Amino acid sequence: MAVPLAIILGLNLFGLFINVISSPVTVTEDVFTDDIHLGNLTAEPSSVPSTINGSNAGSVICNGWKYGHNPPKASCEEAWHSIPRSGQRLIFGRRGDAAVSKPLPIRWLSSDGHCGFDVGLEPAASRGSASEEEISEAALELIEKCAVERHVGGLATSIETHLLKGPDTRLNVDLSVFHPQVRCSGRTRGSYTRCTALESTFLAGTAPTSFGRRQSRRVQVALPVKQTDPTHECTAIVDMIDTGDADQSSWYDIWAALVAVNSMCIKRNKNGLAFGLGRQQKIILSVNLNPPIRDSSESVLPANVTSATLGSVPLVID
């Protein structure tokens, strides 16, 4: 006897329903918010030392829209390896605070500039406490849970601190994707640490600021501006590729360019130039280790360099 088609369809739908309600639920990223909250995570990657394991962040948030998509795993692991492993308790906080041993911002960046880790504070906090080893453990979780498993950047909060016997809810660590525009050239002499020392003293405010080479009411910062490390071996100069209109950026973005040049060029014994900074992409930053003596009013650009010639250069490291 033939079974009616309606009964067959009904049995198939009933079986599908049973399979759905009996299957485990898989959490996936929302394609619109791209935001995943993960609590009490354990990271045990095979590509990093097995001595670091266990969860060191109370919450990990994977968010590609905020922290970037497709962070290169090798680049992130390289940046992770550059984080010191000191077990000493440190105070992270705002610059100018006498109690702070690690003034913020702080960034550890890969040599290709594409992946980095930042230490930050929650909005209401002015200080946070952890060791660099504990920071590195939180960064490691970000690699495994966000970069490897979900191919996005992310944020680790409530950093576990063994010295405080509990999490520090004031501190956070993020893994972000970057695409700095940097050119490396020449050879340097001197210690790479001379230039990294500039990172903790270089201006890093986030307020929009007007930069320009002409004195006017529109210009808040007259260029060029030069800053050196205490030994005067490393020099960073902020300038413009055109002497016309002013351009707007923030000292934080220029500080980030300093970190990029240090990681991508100075660390490789080359001088470096970061460009494409500012809304109109006219601001540049040159970093030279053991440079010749030059007057601070002298432009850092050769006479034949313009926005057109810089724009025609491939964005690669020499």
Side-chain angles (χ1 to χ4, degrees), residues 6-7 15-16 18 52 62 78 98 152 161 173 179 214 224 283 305 314:
I7 294 177
L16 178 61
I18 292 299
I52 296 180
C62 300
E78 181 194 1
V152 296
T161 55
V173 181
H179 301 284
R214 292 182 178 179
I283 300 172
V305 176

Side-chain angles (χ1 to χ4, degrees), residues 95 137 139 157 172 176 227-228 304:
R95 295 182 178 186
E137 291 175 11
T157 63
N172 58 58
S176 295
Q227 185 171 342
T228 63
N304 63 338

Side-chain angles (χ1 to χ4, degrees), residues 154-177:
L155 178 74
T157 63
S158 297
I159 308 302
E160 286 291 338
T161 55
H162 308 301
L163 296 172
L164 296 181
K165 302 187 186 306
D168 190 323
T169 58
R170 302 168 297 176
L171 273 180
N172 58 58
V173 181
D174 73 65
L175 181 160
S176 295
V177 179

Side-chain angles (χ1 to χ4, degrees), residues 258-269:
L258 171 64
V259 176
V261 173
N262 283 344
S263 300
M264 300 169 70
C265 301
I266 302 298
K267 196 172 184 178
R268 300 170 60 240
N269 299 316

Side-chain angles (χ1 to χ4, degrees), residues 86-144:
S86 169
Q88 178 185 0
R89 178 175 176 265
L90 301 172
I91 305 296
F92 296 84
R94 298 172 182 172
R95 295 182 178 186
D97 185 339
V100 169
S101 52
K102 284 290 185 179
L104 300 176
I106 292 176
R107 174 173 296 169
W108 294 281
L109 189 68
S110 60
S111 61
D112 61 7
H114 292 322
C115 185
F117 297 97
D118 291 1
V119 177
L121 294 170
E122 294 301 313
S126 59
R127 297 175 190 166
S129 178
S131 70
E132 290 169 324
E133 182 178 5
E134 291 157 349
I135 295 295
S136 73
E137 291 175 11
L140 180 58
E141 292 194 55
L142 288 169
I143 293 177
E144 286 304 299

Side-chain angles (χ1 to χ4, degrees), residues 29 38 60-63 68-77 115 117 139-155 175-177:
E29 290 185 68
L38 306 167
V60 172
I61 304 169
C62 300
N63 187 330
H69 291 83
N70 299 314
K73 180 185 177 184
S75 301
C76 294
E77 289 180 347
C115 185
F117 297 97
L140 180 58
E141 292 194 55
L142 288 169
I143 293 177
E144 286 304 299
K145 300 303 176 182
C146 294
V148 174
E149 293 184 7
R150 290 172 173 79
H151 309 292
V152 296
L155 178 74
L175 181 160
S176 295
V177 179

Side-chain angles (χ1 to χ4, degrees), residues 21 41 65 67 95 140 187 189 191 219 255 286 317:
I21 63 174
L41 301 178
W65 301 114
Y67 301 105
R95 295 182 178 186
L140 180 58
R187 303 296 296 178
R189 291 182 297 137
S191 171
V219 175
W255 170 86
S286 66
I317 305 175

Side-chain angles (χ1 to χ4, degrees), residues 213-233:
R213 289 186 63 90
R214 292 182 178 179
Q215 296 288 347
S216 71
R217 288 181 298 176
R218 295 180 52 199
V219 175
Q220 296 172 280
V221 178
L223 299 178
V225 170
K226 178 173 74 172
Q227 185 171 342
T228 63
D229 77 298
T231 67
H232 300 284
E233 291 184 26

